[in-house]
């Protein structure tokens, strides 16, 4: 799936700079066309996930921004 197919829920603060990270790839939350979520963040080694899965760590503020974007 291409990034362009996803709805970016975070980092879009309306002033064109994409939030505190500018146009860079910092932690973000995306929604897929099917309604699931893709989370982008720093790799975490908090525990070893099952085969085929990975762990990322994102700031609380990014999750709050995504929730606000969804109107929850």
């Amino acid at each position: 799936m291409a990034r362009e197919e996803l709805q970016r829920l975070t980092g879009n603060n309306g002033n064109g700079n994409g939030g505190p990270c500018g146009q860079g790839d910092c932690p973000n939350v995306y929604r897929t066309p099917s309604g699931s979520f893709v989370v982008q963040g720093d790799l975490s080694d908090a525990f070893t996930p099952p085969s085929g899965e990975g762990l990322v760590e994102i700031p609380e503020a990014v999750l709050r921004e995504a929730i606000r974007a969804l109107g929850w």
Side-chain angles (χ1 to χ4, degrees):
M1 175 179 308
R3 187 184 294 194
E4 295 78 26
E5 297 176 58
L6 304 173
Q7 176 189 7
R8 186 173 175 174
L9 300 175
T10 57
N12 297 316
N13 62 5
N15 65 12
N17 72 5
C21 296
Q23 295 300 317
D25 288 336
C26 56
N28 281 297
V29 177
Y30 300 86
R31 192 165 198 186
T32 69
S34 68
S36 63
F37 298 92
V38 174
V39 178
Q40 175 186 349
D42 294 327
L43 291 177
S44 174
D45 60 1
F47 64 90
T48 302
S51 179
E53 296 183 5
L55 303 175
V56 297
E57 185 173 341
I58 63 170
E60 178 182 335
V62 174
L63 288 178
R64 289 182 181 276
E65 184 180 351
I67 290 167
R68 279 193 301 273
L70 291 167
W72 292 356

